[in-house]
Amino acid sequence: MKCRVCGGQANIRLPQYNSALCASDFVAFFEKRVSGTITKHALLGEQDRTLVAVSGGKDSLSLWYLLNRLGFSADGIYIDLGIRDYSHVSLVKARQMADRLQRRLYSFSLSGTFSKGIEELARIMKRPPCSLCGTIKRYVMNRASTHYGYSVLATGHNLDDEASALLGNILHWKEEYLWKKGVVLEAEHGLAKKVKPFFLCSEKEAAAYALLNKIDYVYEECPHSLGAKTLLYKSLLNRVEDVSPATKIAFLKGYLKRAKAEVSREQEEKEKSSCKVCGYPSYSEECNFCRLLKRFGNGAAVRFDIYVPSEP
Ligand code: Q46
Ligand code: ZN
């Protein structure tokens, strides 16, 4: 197998592009692809200050690393969910990357704020951990972005994440979520713009990029992701992809084309009320996060630790 660019020995097969590349040409290809998504969808501009949502996994650490390589000076935010060793190791990996990039890492601790980790909180609230986790992460990341003056929040969602979520929304006809999966969500109601530069990059490509750049990430997944329907949809889509390469990317590109008109229409119709405590958008008088804080926060305020790497 020969590299399509240099003709040397290829190390990475890319059947979705009917191609194979050597390690260094793959890195260049991947970076060009992400940079192309950023330009095409106007995700980031020179004047933007970017905050990357960092979980300690391959996607978010690769994204943080790559954005800085492309010249976007991006900092990171990590949310410590209080899940035993998993959260601890993830924070260590995130800090290692902060050191390597010489960028700031903000972190928010659930246990430090609510005296409970996500599992105990979810049990008391009788909510699935992932649903509660989503509420908390969305809120905290927005809050950090606006509080510290970042105009864009970038997440490492990749092609496989997006295609499986889309398939799930279609299979269950979740119309309220169906058109909200775009590559960019513009800033509104004082919330930061949200972007997904890896939207058209597969999980395998992100893993290869991490490996080739010696990015040390946490290998285990969050224990709550195991058994999730998303994993089932991912494996179904992979089986289709094996037989018919490029199906996933065509699925998402087709979605993006159709989603544009729908998203703008939906934004117009969206309810616009604010939480009376924090002022964030909310469908009720008080947002879910402020209610959590009132019930479990024991008077605590939302507080971030800021890790500033020392000079190497
Ligand atoms: S939602 Fe659920 Fe993830 Fe939160 S509890 Fe873990 S698996 S981390 S993306
Ligand atoms: Zn609130």
Side-chain angles (χ1 to χ4, degrees):
M1 207 171 44
K2 287 196 168 160
C3 169
R4 197 175 71 175
V5 177
C6 69
Q9 172 71 37
N11 312 91
I12 296 156
R13 282 186 60 239
L14 298 167
Q16 68 276 38
Y17 303 115
N18 197 16
S19 172
L21 296 170
C22 69
S24 65
D25 283 320
F26 170 77
V27 169
F29 159 84
F30 188 81
E31 290 178 350
K32 198 168 155 206
R33 192 155 175 78
V34 175
S35 155
T37 304
I38 292 173
T39 310
K40 181 168 181 199
H41 297 275
L43 303 190
L44 298 171
E46 275 174 20
Q47 69 297 343
D48 278 316
R49 288 191 72 219
T50 307
L51 192 60
V52 178
V54 177
S55 68
K58 64 180 182 325
D59 301 304
S60 60
L61 289 180
S62 294
L63 176 64
W64 195 10
Y65 175 82
L66 193 155
L67 288 183
N68 280 284
R69 271 194 42 111
L70 293 179
F72 299 104
S73 305
D75 291 319
I77 168 133
Y78 171 77
I79 297 183
D80 184 338
L81 299 170
I83 305 178
R84 305 171 295 276
D85 290 353
Y86 168 76
S87 292
H88 174 71
V89 177
S90 304
L91 178 60
V92 170
K93 307 288 182 195
R95 284 200 174 167
Q96 281 173 0
M97 183 54 81
D99 287 337
R100 183 167 169 188
L101 299 174
Q102 289 288 293
R103 301 298 316 179
R104 281 177 177 224
L105 176 71
Y106 300 88
S107 59
F108 172 86
S109 159
L110 252 75
S111 316
T113 308
F114 302 117
S115 318
K116 291 164 185 56
I118 191 69
E119 290 159 335
E120 198 181 344
L121 266 184
R123 201 165 43 244
I124 300 172
M125 298 291 294
K126 297 192 172 54
R127 278 182 67 179
C130 291
S131 143
L132 186 61
C133 178
T135 304
I136 293 173
K137 283 202 291 199
R138 257 192 313 278
Y139 184 91
V140 169
M141 285 174 183
N142 268 313
R143 182 108 177 218
S145 308
T146 48
H147 185 73
Y148 293 105
Y150 292 90
S151 50
V152 182
L153 179 65
T155 59
H157 293 97
N158 61 41
L159 175 84
D160 295 75
D161 298 327
E162 296 299 320
S164 62
L166 178 58
L167 179 62
N169 287 341
I170 293 173
L171 288 176
H172 298 283
W173 286 115
K174 291 187 183 164
E175 291 189 60
E176 70 277 26
Y177 301 120
L178 193 56
W179 300 111
K180 290 184 180 170
K181 296 234 124 270
V183 70
V184 54
L185 202 61
E186 293 298 340
E188 57 165 11
H189 304 292
L191 302 180
K193 174 177 172 180
K194 292 202 186 78
V195 302
K196 298 171 187 167
F198 283 1
F199 197 91
L200 296 174
C201 302
S202 74
E203 204 163 283
K204 278 187 193 155
E205 290 170 71
Y209 184 80
L211 194 79
L212 294 171
N213 285 292
K214 300 189 171 41
I215 292 171
D216 184 16
Y217 59 88
V218 59
Y219 291 106
E220 4 154 10
E221 301 280 341
C222 169
H224 299 285
S225 67
L226 303 172
K229 283 234 179 80
T230 316
L231 293 184
L232 170 66
Y233 300 148
K234 276 187 183 177
S235 78
L236 287 173
L237 286 166
N238 283 338
R239 283 172 61 188
V240 178
E241 185 80 16
D242 283 345
V243 179
S244 175
T247 299
K248 283 189 281 195
I249 204 152
F251 185 38
L252 281 194
K253 281 188 171 172
Y255 169 79
L256 282 181
K257 250 193 227 160
R258 288 160 181 81
K260 272 188 187 150
E262 297 289 342
V263 169
S264 54
R265 197 156 49 220
E266 199 178 306
Q267 273 165 353
E268 283 166 25
E269 289 161 5
K270 213 186 279 174
E271 223 175 301
K272 287 180 182 135
S273 63
S274 308
C275 167
K276 68 174 188 199
V277 181
C278 69
Y280 274 52
S282 168
Y283 289 103
S284 52
E285 268 208 338
E286 242 176 84
C287 73
N288 287 335
F289 189 90
C290 285
R291 276 189 276 177
L292 268 183
L293 202 57
K294 199 193 259 176
R295 184 163 169 197
F296 301 105
N298 219 353
V302 178
R303 206 180 63 79
F304 294 93
D305 279 333
I306 307 178
Y307 177 71
V308 183
S310 48
E311 293 285 320

Coordinates of all heavy atoms in Angstrom, one line a residue, residues 140-169:
V140 N -22.0 25.1 32.9 CA -20.7 25.4 33.4 C -19.7 25.9 32.3 O -19.0 26.9 32.5 CB -20.0 24.2 34.2 CG1 -18.6 24.5 34.5 CG2 -20.8 23.9 35.5
M141 N -19.8 25.3 31.2 CA -18.9 25.7 30.1 C -19.3 27.1 29.6 O -18.5 27.9 29.2 CB -18.9 24.7 29.0 CG -18.1 23.5 29.4 SD -18.3 22.2 28.2 CE -17.3 20.9 29.0
N142 N -20.6 27.3 29.5 CA -21.1 28.6 29.0 C -20.7 29.7 30.0 O -20.2 30.8 29.7 CB -22.6 28.6 28.9 CG -23.1 28.3 27.5 OD1 -22.5 28.8 26.6 ND2 -24.0 27.4 27.4
R143 N -20.8 29.3 31.3 CA -20.5 30.3 32.3 C -19.0 30.6 32.3 O -18.6 31.8 32.4 CB -20.9 29.7 33.7 CG -20.7 30.5 34.9 CD -22.0 31.0 35.4 NE -21.7 31.8 36.6 CZ -22.5 31.8 37.7 NH1 -23.6 31.1 37.7 NH2 -22.2 32.6 38.7
A144 N -18.2 29.6 32.2 CA -16.7 29.9 32.1 C -16.4 30.8 30.9 O -15.6 31.7 31.0 CB -15.9 28.6 32.0
S145 N -17.0 30.4 29.7 CA -16.7 31.2 28.5 C -17.1 32.7 28.7 O -16.3 33.6 28.4 CB -17.6 30.7 27.3 OG -17.4 29.3 27.2
T146 N -18.3 32.9 29.2 CA -18.7 34.3 29.3 C -17.9 35.0 30.4 O -17.5 36.2 30.3 CB -20.2 34.5 29.5 OG1 -20.6 33.6 30.5 CG2 -21.0 34.1 28.2
H147 N -17.7 34.3 31.5 CA -17.1 35.0 32.7 C -15.6 35.4 32.4 O -15.2 36.4 32.8 CB -17.1 34.0 33.9 CG -16.6 34.6 35.1 ND1 -17.3 35.6 35.8 CD2 -15.4 34.4 35.8 CE1 -16.5 35.9 36.9 NE2 -15.4 35.3 36.9
Y148 N -14.9 34.5 31.6 CA -13.5 34.8 31.4 C -13.3 35.4 30.0 O -12.2 35.5 29.5 CB -12.7 33.5 31.5 CG -12.6 33.1 33.0 CD1 -13.4 32.0 33.4 CD2 -11.9 33.7 33.9 CE1 -13.3 31.5 34.7 CE2 -11.8 33.3 35.2 CZ -12.6 32.2 35.6 OH -12.6 31.8 36.9
G149 N -14.4 35.8 29.3 CA -14.3 36.6 28.1 C -13.9 35.8 26.8 O -13.2 36.3 26.0
Y150 N -14.3 34.5 26.7 CA -14.0 33.7 25.5 C -15.2 33.8 24.6 O -16.4 33.7 25.1 CB -13.8 32.2 25.9 CG -12.5 32.1 26.6 CD1 -12.5 32.1 28.0 CD2 -11.3 31.9 25.9 CE1 -11.3 32.0 28.7 CE2 -10.1 31.8 26.6 CZ -10.1 31.8 28.0 OH -8.9 31.7 28.7
S151 N -15.0 34.1 23.3 CA -16.1 34.3 22.4 C -16.6 32.9 21.8 O -17.7 32.8 21.3 CB -15.7 35.2 21.3 OG -14.5 34.8 20.7
V152 N -15.7 31.9 21.9 CA -16.1 30.6 21.2 C -15.8 29.5 22.2 O -14.7 29.4 22.8 CB -15.3 30.4 19.9 CG1 -15.7 29.1 19.2 CG2 -15.6 31.6 18.9
L153 N -16.7 28.5 22.2 CA -16.5 27.3 22.9 C -16.4 26.2 21.9 O -17.3 26.0 21.1 CB -17.7 27.1 23.9 CG -17.6 25.8 24.8 CD1 -16.5 25.9 25.7 CD2 -18.9 25.7 25.5
A154 N -15.2 25.5 21.9 CA -15.0 24.4 20.9 C -15.1 23.0 21.6 O -14.5 22.8 22.7 CB -13.7 24.6 20.2
T155 N -15.8 22.1 21.0 CA -15.9 20.7 21.5 C -15.4 19.7 20.5 O -15.3 20.0 19.3 CB -17.3 20.4 21.9 OG1 -18.2 20.4 20.7 CG2 -17.9 21.3 23.0
G156 N -14.9 18.6 21.0 CA -14.3 17.6 20.2 C -15.2 16.6 19.6 O -14.8 15.5 19.1
H157 N -16.5 16.9 19.5 CA -17.5 15.9 18.8 C -17.0 15.6 17.4 O -16.7 16.5 16.6 CB -18.9 16.5 18.7 CG -19.5 16.8 20.1 ND1 -19.5 18.0 20.7 CD2 -20.2 15.9 20.9 CE1 -20.1 17.8 21.9 NE2 -20.5 16.6 22.0
N158 N -16.9 14.3 17.1 CA -16.4 13.9 15.8 C -17.6 13.3 15.0 O -18.7 13.3 15.4 CB -15.3 12.9 16.0 CG -15.8 11.6 16.7 OD1 -16.9 11.1 16.5 ND2 -14.9 11.1 17.6
L159 N -17.2 12.9 13.8 CA -18.2 12.4 12.8 C -19.0 11.2 13.4 O -20.2 11.2 13.1 CB -17.4 11.9 11.6 CG -18.1 11.2 10.4 CD1 -18.7 12.3 9.5 CD2 -17.2 10.4 9.6
D160 N -18.3 10.3 14.1 CA -19.0 9.2 14.6 C -20.0 9.6 15.7 O -21.1 9.0 15.8 CB -18.0 8.1 15.2 CG -17.2 7.6 14.1 OD1 -16.3 8.3 13.6 OD2 -17.4 6.5 13.6
D161 N -19.6 10.5 16.6 CA -20.6 11.0 17.6 C -21.8 11.6 16.9 O -22.9 11.4 17.3 CB -19.9 12.1 18.4 CG -18.7 11.7 19.2 OD1 -18.6 10.5 19.6 OD2 -17.7 12.5 19.4
E162 N -21.5 12.4 15.9 CA -22.6 13.2 15.3 C -23.5 12.3 14.5 O -24.8 12.4 14.6 CB -22.1 14.3 14.5 CG -21.3 15.4 15.2 CD -22.2 16.1 16.3 OE1 -23.3 16.4 16.0 OE2 -21.6 16.3 17.4
A163 N -22.9 11.4 13.8 CA -23.8 10.5 12.9 C -24.6 9.6 13.8 O -25.8 9.3 13.5 CB -22.9 9.7 12.0
S164 N -24.0 9.1 14.9 CA -24.8 8.2 15.7 C -25.9 8.9 16.5 O -27.1 8.4 16.6 CB -23.9 7.4 16.7 OG -23.3 8.3 17.6
A165 N -25.7 10.1 16.9 CA -26.7 10.9 17.6 C -27.8 11.3 16.6 O -29.0 11.2 16.9 CB -26.1 12.2 18.1
L166 N -27.4 11.5 15.3 CA -28.4 11.9 14.3 C -29.3 10.6 14.0 O -30.5 10.8 13.9 CB -27.7 12.4 13.0 CG -28.5 12.7 11.8 CD1 -29.6 13.8 12.2 CD2 -27.7 13.2 10.7
L167 N -28.6 9.5 13.9 CA -29.4 8.3 13.6 C -30.4 8.0 14.8 O -31.5 7.7 14.5 CB -28.4 7.1 13.5 CG -29.1 5.7 13.2 CD1 -29.8 5.7 11.9 CD2 -28.0 4.6 13.2
G168 N -29.9 8.2 16.0 CA -30.8 8.0 17.2 C -32.0 9.0 17.1 O -33.1 8.6 17.4
N169 N -31.7 10.2 16.8 CA -32.8 11.2 16.7 C -33.8 10.9 15.6 O -35.0 11.1 15.8 CB -32.3 12.6 16.5 CG -31.6 13.2 17.7 OD1 -31.8 12.7 18.8 ND2 -30.7 14.2 17.5

